[in-house]
Amino acid sequence: MKKIIGIVLLFIVLVIALQSCNEERVDQIVKKYDQTDFSDLKGFFIHYRGVRHQENTFIYLVSTYDVKCSPYMVEVDEKNSIVNINNNLVLESCGRDYLTKEKIKQVFAKYSQYHFCLLQVDNEGNVYINPDNQERPTLLRKSVHSNPKDLALFSHYKGNWYTKKE
């Protein structure tokens, strides 16, 4: 019985430690990006997807925020230079390109300054971030001029910042 209680207590301590580490990370992001102007990325969605080990490159998905078409697959080398922009999925889903290669390069260059796995800025200037994972956004910086449709999925953290509800 004492062994079970000890294991439960250890588990609780680990959960609390992980929670505080997560809060410290969120605080760092909020402090660093609270006043950042993300307007150059307004209306865009950029998402780290994975690594192509054979080519030593990284795959990112780039699209506009509200497009109904598939994203562009952007292949980047270890120096963060774009090696290839693949539009096959875009052509299959929409029949035509909706972004130019130049615009994709411009948007990716701006995105790469932030080192997030996921960054999207909606058309009203709300900023969605997932700093560490390939999952949905975990942070939202709400624009003072807008109430995002999905605000109910987030809990108020501080100021204009919200965290994803668990």
Side-chain angles (χ1 to χ4, degrees):
M1 184 66 152
K2 288 182 181 181
K3 195 173 195 178
I4 292 173
I5 293 172
I7 291 172
V8 169
L9 287 174
L10 179 61
F11 178 74
I12 291 170
V13 168
L14 286 174
V15 168
I16 291 170
L18 287 173
Q19 182 76 18
S20 71
C21 287
N22 188 41
E23 285 182 20
E24 286 177 26
R25 174 82 168 126
V26 170
D27 278 340
Q28 289 172 352
I29 291 169
V30 167
K31 184 177 180 181
K32 185 171 182 177
Y33 297 103
D34 192 43
Q35 299 300 316
T36 300
D37 179 8
F38 289 99
S39 61
D40 288 345
L41 295 170
K42 192 174 189 176
F44 287 97
F45 170 86
I46 306 99
H47 181 203
Y48 169 73
R49 188 66 186 133
V51 177
R52 292 186 73 183
H53 295 288
Q54 295 170 336
E55 288 82 14
N56 268 349
T57 57
F58 306 92
I59 303 296
Y60 292 84
L61 304 179
V62 176
S63 69
T64 56
Y65 178 77
D66 59 358
V67 75
K68 304 297 184 226
C69 302
S70 295
Y72 291 86
M73 294 183 66
V74 179
E75 193 171 349
V76 178
D77 66 16
E78 59 275 340
K79 295 176 186 167
N80 236 14
S81 297
I82 293 177
V83 175
N84 185 37
I85 298 173
N86 185 319
N87 67 345
N88 292 344
L89 294 174
V90 172
L91 295 177
E92 282 179 29
S93 64
C94 282
R96 63 177 179 77
D97 283 312
Y98 58 91
L99 290 173
T100 65
K101 289 187 178 190
E102 193 54 44
K103 187 62 176 178
I104 293 169
K105 289 176 183 178
Q106 193 178 55
V107 166
F108 185 80
K110 189 69 176 171
Y111 159 83
S112 64
Q113 297 174 15
Y114 302 113
H115 308 286
F116 295 137
C117 280
L118 180 147
L119 178 61
Q120 64 188 59
V121 183
D122 69 13
N123 295 324
E124 288 78 40
N126 298 298
V127 179
Y128 296 84
I129 297 170
N130 192 323
D132 304 312
N133 296 308
Q134 297 176 0
E135 300 169 10
R136 296 186 182 274
T138 55
L139 294 171
L140 163 63
R141 188 182 81 185
K142 188 179 104 38
S143 168
V144 294
H145 307 293
S146 168
N147 278 322
K149 296 174 215 165
D150 59 352
L151 188 58
L153 300 174
F154 293 84
S155 299
H156 184 256
Y157 186 70
K158 66 169 74 168
N160 290 333
W161 288 88
Y162 294 76
T163 57
K164 184 81 168 176
K165 289 181 181 175
E166 301 205 19

